[in-house]
């Protein structure tokens, strides 16, 4: 065993920790728990990545929620795990001293292999706000799949690097429609609590919420929701709420209060690098190879699977192609990443025995965005915490749950902004396009209409009550609805259909799906707690039965 020691970097007086890692392990950690979560996200350091010719017991494709759960629990069970991640490590500050760029000034770090930004809110006051940037393996992928743009995180930590950290457990009564083949009692007694505890989920202090400037926008959202008879609910988040209070007090470097979101948070947010992956690193059994992209998985002659991997440079070029053998492979490349791989591998003959459910059952979690223009006497504040903390629940009556979202522009906009999650029934399919050699998704923009109708059950009523109107300047010129995108891709290798009821791919023993691809299109709330809890449930069974 060779020891590779990692040190946490802590700016707030917590003593440094030293991890003794196993052969090839390259993950370090800021800390396993406690106050150090607010330290800079300097978690992974470059070391020797997986060599060509290696034979590993377990290879995990992707380092998001599903992959991180698999890696941690397998490592704790004594299994050595290789994680392969196409994005960067995100452990090194740029010239400005920050690892991640700010939302208001995106740069090359912000986008995955684009030469121009693709901001979810493309316009402001009607003017386009996208700008040219150098092509780079940045942290947010705006992947154009047919008629929808699917935003995803790229890097060690997956979506946890870019997301808002809203850690929402669906209502128990909605669970049967989300994952019908899963025992809800077990999920709510064991796996949701386990996921939330390990993710570090917490709730904003309601007394602080009532007084702090940075949630003026959310208090306006609450007041208007309640005046129209809708329940406003506080939503848990993995942001370190104590750190945010200190940001407001001016005693620490600002992150949420500097508007950091979408392109990474430099402090405060407990991304997977600070939770699951930090714990995985501490086992000494987990190795991560960033800037490595899996391109093929096929049965190996002597058993196990042959995995082909492209090593990338930061402009996205392949600098080496590697061949690795793995006894078991976990697909954790996210709903789109896993679905694209499996559909291609089935169609091109690498994994021909995968069943006909591969690529099916994909949904956008009913995402639709909109803004409302408030009266001058309802300012939403020039200082807005980038971390949402509340939502409007009209799921049962109207099929919509709307996050009261920030517009952290740094100026007063009198705008209220919302991301709605709706009960949209439409499901799309990934298919292999032999002519172009790509995987296509047949989602159509018109399929968002049910989502718009459901969101309107909330906002038409609020507008009528308040005497206000929709903003028309955020998604184009005179366009009310942000119906061209999703932040929440789900499905494509659905549980109990493409796989057995625990994620074992049908047709191949030793191949598993353990990410958002398992969930058939909708979770009724933000998805990552459900993805994490389901992964916890499945890996427990896989470890007990298969290993
Ligand atoms: P994910 O986290 O996407 O991880 C997959 C990983 O695999 C990525 O790191 C990829 O780079 C990597 N990968 C893909 N293909 C390959 C390959 N071929 N080889 C190697 N690596 C590969 O998957 N959800 C919430 O619950 N609350 C929120 O507040 C929230 N806000 C969001 C805001 C934004 C802007 C976005 C984009 C998403 C948000 N989400 C939120 C969604 C959430 O991040 C997402 O559901 C999860 O990250 C999905 O987890 P998975 O494990 O499925």
């Amino acid at each position: 065993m060779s020891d590779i020691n990692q040190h946490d970097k802590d700016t707030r007086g917590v003593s440094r920790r030293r991890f003794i890692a196993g052969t090839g392990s390259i993950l370090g950690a800021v800390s396993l728990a406690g106050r150090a979560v607010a330290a800079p996200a300097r978690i992974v350091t470059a070391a020797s990545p997986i060599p060509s010719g290696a034979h590993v017991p377990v290879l995990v494709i992707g380092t998001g929620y599903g992959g991180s759960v698999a890696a941690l629990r397998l490592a704790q069970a004594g299994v050595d795990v290789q994680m392969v991640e196409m994005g960067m490590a995100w452990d090194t500050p740029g010239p400005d001293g920050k690892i991640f760029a700010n939302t208001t000034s995106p740069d090359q770090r912000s986008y995955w292999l684009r030469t121009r930004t693709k901001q979810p809110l493309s316009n402001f006051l009607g003017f386009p706000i996208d700008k040219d940037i150098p092509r780079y393996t940045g942290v947010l992928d705006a992947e154009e799949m047919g008629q929808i743009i699917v935003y995803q995180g790229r890097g060690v930590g997956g979506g946890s690097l870019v997301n808002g950290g809203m850690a929402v457990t669906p209502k128990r009564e909605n669970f049967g429609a989300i994952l019908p083949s899963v025992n809800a009692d077990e999920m709510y007694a064991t796996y949701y609590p386990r996921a939330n505890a390990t993710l570090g989920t917490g709730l904003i202090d309601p007394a602080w919420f009532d007084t702090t400037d940075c949630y003026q926008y959310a208090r306006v959202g609450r007041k208007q929701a309640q005046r129209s008879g809708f329940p406003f609910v506080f939503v848990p988040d993995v942001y370190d709420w104590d750190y945010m209070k200190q940001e407001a007090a001016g005693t620490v470097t600002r992150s949420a209060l500097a508007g950091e979101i979408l392109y990474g948070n430099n402090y405060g947010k407990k991304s997977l690098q600070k939770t699951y992956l930090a714990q995985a690193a501490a086992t000494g059994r987990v190795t991560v190879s960033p800037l490595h992209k899996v391109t093929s998985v096929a049965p190996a002659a002597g058993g196990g699977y042959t995995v082909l991997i492209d090593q990338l440079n930061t402009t996205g070029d392949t600098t080496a192609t590697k061949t690795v053998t793995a006894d078991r492979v976990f697909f954790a490349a996210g709903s789109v990443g896993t679905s694209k791989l499996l559909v291609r591998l089935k169609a091109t003959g690498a994994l021909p025995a995968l069943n006909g459910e591969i690529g099916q059952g994909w949904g956008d979690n009913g995402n639709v965005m909109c803004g409302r223009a408030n009266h001058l006497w309802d300012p939403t504040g020039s200082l807005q915490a980038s971390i949402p903390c509340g939502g409007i629940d009209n799921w049962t009556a109207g099929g919509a749950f709307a996050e009261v979202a920030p517009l952290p522009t740094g100026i007063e906009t009198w705008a209220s902004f919302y991301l709605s999650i709706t009960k949209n029934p439409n499901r799309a399919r990934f298919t292999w396009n032999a002519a172009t050699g790509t995987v296509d998704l047949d989602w159509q923009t018109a399929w968002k209409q049910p989502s718009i109708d459901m969101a309107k059950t909330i906002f038409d009523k609020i507008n009528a009550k308040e005497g206000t109107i929709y903003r028309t300047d955020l998604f184009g010129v005179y366009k009310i609805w942000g119906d061209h995108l999703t932040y929440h891709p789900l499905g494509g290798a659905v549980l109990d259909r493409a796989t057995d009821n625990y994620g074992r791919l049908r047709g191949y023993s030793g191949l598993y799906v353990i990410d958002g691809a398992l969930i058939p299109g909708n979770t009724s709330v933000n998805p990552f707690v459900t993805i994490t809890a389901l992964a916890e449930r499945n890996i427990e069974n896989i470890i007990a039965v298969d290993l």
Side-chain angles (χ1 to χ4, degrees):
M1 294 279 280
S2 71
D3 291 345
I4 298 173
N5 307 320
Q6 302 296 335
H7 304 274
D8 60 0
K9 180 174 178 179
D10 176 40
T11 55
R12 296 166 61 210
V14 177
S15 64
R16 287 177 171 235
R17 286 182 174 79
R18 185 166 186 268
F19 290 120
I20 311 298
T23 305
S25 290
I26 60 165
L27 268 170
V30 168
S31 98
L32 297 186
R35 295 169 60 78
V37 292
R42 187 170 185 282
I43 317 294
V44 182
T45 57
S48 48
I50 189 168
S52 196
H55 186 146
V56 299
V58 169
L59 187 137
V60 176
I61 309 171
T63 57
Y65 292 91
S68 297
V69 172
L72 172 61
R73 301 308 175 199
L74 286 163
Q76 287 174 333
V79 181
D80 288 329
V81 179
Q82 282 279 347
M83 302 184 84
V84 176
E85 168 56 53
M86 68 192 270
M88 304 204 318
W90 298 109
D91 61 351
T92 310
D96 59 358
K98 301 269 169 102
I99 292 174
F100 299 110
N102 195 278
T103 320
T104 52
S105 49
D107 60 26
Q108 62 174 10
R109 290 170 290 187
S110 306
Y111 281 89
W112 178 257
L113 301 179
R114 277 187 174 270
T115 51
R116 192 165 172 79
T117 64
K118 191 86 183 167
Q119 305 200 45
L121 275 73
S122 55
N123 292 56
F124 192 63
L125 302 174
F127 293 102
I129 55 175
D130 281 315
K131 65 173 195 181
D132 292 342
I133 47 169
R135 182 182 157 90
Y136 190 69
T137 46
V139 74
L140 183 65
D141 194 352
E143 189 170 4
E144 292 170 81
M145 299 290 301
Q147 295 186 11
I148 192 165
I149 302 172
V150 185
Y151 284 89
Q152 297 152 90
R154 295 274 174 252
V156 176
S160 79
L161 297 167
V162 298
N163 67 29
M166 295 179 84
V168 198
T169 301
K171 280 191 184 161
R172 175 76 175 73
E173 72 238 39
N174 295 332
F175 186 80
I178 299 167
L179 284 164
S181 64
V182 173
N183 181 324
D185 292 340
E186 286 177 9
M187 289 295 284
Y188 284 81
T190 305
Y191 303 109
Y192 274 118
R194 184 177 296 170
N196 278 311
T198 317
L199 290 165
T201 302
L203 208 54
I204 190 170
D205 168 1
W208 187 66
F209 172 83
D210 278 336
T211 54
T212 181
D213 288 348
C214 64
Y215 281 114
Q216 166 76 11
Y217 75 94
R219 290 196 298 275
V220 169
R222 177 178 63 180
K223 178 182 72 179
Q224 294 176 339
Q226 290 175 344
R227 278 209 292 239
S228 286
F230 296 115
F232 174 92
V233 291
F234 283 117
V235 168
D237 202 282
V238 298
Y239 203 85
D240 181 342
W241 294 107
D242 287 340
Y243 188 83
M244 199 191 291
K245 281 184 176 174
Q246 294 171 57
E247 292 180 48
T251 55
V252 295
T253 310
R254 285 184 165 187
S255 181
L257 270 57
E260 289 177 355
I261 188 79
L262 276 182
Y263 310 135
N265 282 77
N266 286 296
Y267 317 89
K269 194 173 77 179
K270 288 174 275 184
S271 66
L272 289 166
Q273 292 181 332
K274 299 179 182 177
T275 58
Y276 273 93
L277 289 171
Q279 288 197 32
T283 67
R285 291 192 175 277
V286 178
T287 303
V288 180
S289 297
L291 287 173
H292 279 59
K293 180 177 181 177
V294 170
T295 58
S296 182
V297 177
Y305 293 89
T306 301
V307 182
L308 300 185
I309 305 173
D310 283 349
Q311 183 168 4
L312 308 177
N313 64 18
T314 54
T315 47
D317 308 310
T318 300
T319 55
T321 299
K322 301 181 177 182
T323 305
V324 170
T325 307
D327 297 335
R328 297 170 198 280
V329 178
F330 286 77
F331 288 81
S335 159
V336 174
T338 291
S339 302
K340 281 185 1 186
L341 266 174
L342 292 175
V343 165
R344 185 161 54 76
L345 297 177
K346 176 174 165 59
T348 57
L351 296 174
L354 292 174
N355 75 16
E357 295 286 342
I358 295 296
Q360 309 264 10
W362 185 85
D364 67 340
N365 208 23
N367 281 191
V368 67
M369 293 178 177
C370 68
R372 291 181 37 261
N374 290 306
H375 295 295
L376 288 181
W377 56 83
D378 261 339
T380 47
S382 55
L383 176 67
Q384 301 199 358
S386 62
I387 299 298
C389 70
I392 304 169
D393 185 5
N394 195 34
W395 188 260
T396 308
F401 174 84
E403 288 173 14
V404 178
L407 265 184
T409 57
I411 55 169
E412 177 57 57
T413 62
W414 286 276
S416 287
F417 179 55
Y418 309 91
L419 168 62
S420 297
I421 294 159
T422 65
K423 214 187 275 184
N424 189 320
N426 289 313
R427 295 292 177 268
R429 204 159 54 113
F430 294 92
T431 49
W432 175 243
N433 184 334
T436 55
T438 55
V439 175
D440 297 340
L441 181 68
D442 66 358
W443 182 269
Q444 298 171 29
T445 308
W447 291 1
K448 287 276 196 186
Q449 192 58 46
S451 295
I452 294 173
D453 295 342
M454 290 168 189
K456 279 162 72 77
T457 66
I458 297 176
F459 303 115
D460 278 3
K461 193 167 175 191
I462 291 179
N463 277 338
K465 177 79 182 169
E466 302 294 328
T468 51
I469 56 170
Y470 288 102
R471 291 283 288 231
T472 58
D473 62 323
L474 301 174
F475 304 105
V477 180
Y478 207 82
K479 181 165 165 51
I480 291 175
W481 297 99
D483 59 354
H484 56 297
L485 56 76
T486 184
Y487 286 174
H488 299 165
L490 293 167
V494 169
L495 188 77
D496 209 28
R497 290 198 239 152
T499 71
D500 79 350
N501 203 22
Y502 292 90
R504 297 177 185 88
L505 269 163
R506 295 211 155 111
Y508 293 94
S509 98
L511 294 187
Y512 308 87
V513 175
I514 192 149
D515 59 14
L518 290 173
I519 298 176
N522 202 301
T523 54
S524 76
V525 291
N526 316 60
F528 76 62
V529 172
T530 297
I531 294 170
T532 307
L534 182 66
E536 288 280 18
R537 166 194 179 269
N538 293 353
I539 199 69
E540 190 176 272
N541 180 279
I542 290 164
I543 288 169
V545 176
D546 297 13
L547 297 171

